[in-house]
Every structure is written in C-alpha cells, then in structure tokens.
Amino acid sequence: DEAHRFRNEGTQGYEKLHQICWGKKVILVSATPLNNTISDIYAQIKLFQAPKKSTIPGVANLDRFFSRLQGQVGREEKGTPEYFEAIKSISKEVRDKVLKYIMVRRTRNEIVNYFAEDVARQGLFFPQLADPERIIYEFDAKTDEVFSETIERLKDFKYSRYMPLLYMQRQLSAFE
C-alpha cells in the first residue's frame, strides 16, 4: 500500500522494495500513482518490469518509451497551454499503451456501481458528504484586530523557499 512513496529510485527504500518485487507477482496499491511527473509512474513500473525488456504488449523498451515522452514535455514551457496539452496527451498515451496492461483502476463510483452487491453483503459503505456551506465568522473587537494585523503581516512575509527564483534574481542583482 502507498506505492507512490516509491517513485524515487535513488532511495534505500526503493532498492529494498525492488529486491522484494523483482521476479515475483506483486500488487502495488496507491491512490496517487502519478504524483508529479511521468517518471513517478515509470519508477514504480520498474519495480517489476525490466526497463529494456518489458512484457507489456507493444512497449518492449520502457526506457525508450518514457524518454521519448519526457522529451515531449521538456519542449514546452511550464505553465503554458501547450505544456498542459502535452501533459494531457502524454498521460493518455501512458494509460493506453502501458497502464491498461498493468493497472487496475477503481474509483468510488465504479465500486458502488459494479460491486454494489458485494459491498452491501459485507456491510461496507462510502460516507456521504454534504455540499460545502459558507460559514461567516464574527469576531469580538480584540480578536478581529489581531486577525487583521496578522493578515497584514503575512502580506509582507517574504520567504525564499516559496519563491526561489525571485530570491536568486535579487542575490544575482546584488553582485552586478
């Protein structure tokens, strides 16, 4: 469970899991198999598939397949409509050519619709969530003053961790 924790090949945990999985039939469970980039899912696939000699129909060389897709993403500037379109296209190709052969995907709706009898027999259920409601807080005068002052101070808060490029530009400008 939580297989997405093993998307980084450079960790000891990944190496140990790779040793456990290699040559065996395994089930990796994750709610978020693709978390950041397609290399996340590729790292997880390599836990049980040989990168240059996979058993996935039509994709014998996973290394070449994922490198080509990564190259397509790399050509686009992050955040642009073209970038998001490339991500969408690449995700579809990964789903159609790789994941459909190795992944079982289940959403809540699929479970409720296709496994209703089994779910009912076991007495299982998904909680029903209410629609969000707007809540307006009313503070006393002192709390309101503290809250407003805190918000104003946060507006002026600068921290390089949250905007590293801006911080680097400022540092570089200081040396010019």
Side-chain angles (χ1 to χ4, degrees):
D1 197 6
E2 302 294 323
H4 58 272
R5 292 185 180 176
F6 299 96
R7 63 181 183 258
N8 183 349
E9 299 175 66
T11 65
Q12 288 180 348
Y14 181 94
E15 182 55 36
K16 288 177 183 177
L17 184 61
H18 186 262
Q19 290 170 6
I20 291 168
C21 294
W22 195 251
K24 297 178 183 91
K25 291 183 179 185
V26 297
I27 297 175
L28 303 177
V29 179
S30 176
T32 54
L34 179 61
N35 201 31
N36 297 317
T37 67
I38 60 169
S39 61
D40 291 353
I41 194 77
Y42 182 37
Q44 292 168 71
I45 293 169
K46 287 193 288 186
L47 287 167
F48 56 89
Q49 284 284 327
K52 294 185 186 270
K53 201 173 181 181
S54 90
T55 60
I56 298 169
V59 185
N61 190 324
L62 289 165
D63 229 7
R64 189 178 306 134
F65 177 80
F66 280 95
S67 291
R68 179 180 57 79
L69 296 178
Q70 198 64 45
Q72 289 176 1
V73 173
R75 286 194 296 262
E76 305 298 341
E77 184 179 338
K78 283 190 177 182
T80 64
E82 294 80 14
Y83 175 80
F84 291 114
E85 196 55 44
I87 294 290
K88 188 175 173 183
S89 171
I90 287 165
S91 296
K92 182 180 181 340
E93 189 170 351
V94 170
R95 276 192 313 273
D96 293 345
K97 293 185 177 175
V98 175
L99 297 183
K100 79 177 187 179
Y101 295 104
I102 62 170
M103 179 184 279
V104 176
R105 180 176 177 254
R106 295 288 182 255
T107 64
R108 282 185 184 200
N109 285 339
E110 288 173 329
I111 292 169
V112 168
N113 291 331
Y114 300 118
F115 302 99
E117 190 177 303
D118 191 40
V119 168
R121 187 178 72 252
Q122 294 183 55
L124 304 173
F125 64 93
F126 288 110
Q128 297 298 315
L129 302 176
D131 290 335
E133 294 180 29
R134 183 176 182 195
I135 299 174
I136 300 173
Y137 293 95
E138 292 185 24
F139 300 128
D140 59 62
K142 180 67 177 162
T143 304
D144 188 52
E145 180 184 332
V146 170
F147 180 81
S148 296
E149 184 178 328
T150 301
I151 295 298
E152 288 307 311
R153 286 185 180 207
L154 287 174
K155 287 179 184 176
D156 294 332
F157 188 62
K158 305 282 188 273
Y159 190 43
S160 62
R161 178 179 187 172
Y162 300 113
M163 48 185 155
L165 291 178
L166 179 62
Y167 179 77
M168 285 180 62
Q169 289 169 350
R170 285 184 184 162
Q171 292 299 316
L172 293 173
S173 297
F175 291 109
E176 293 175 356

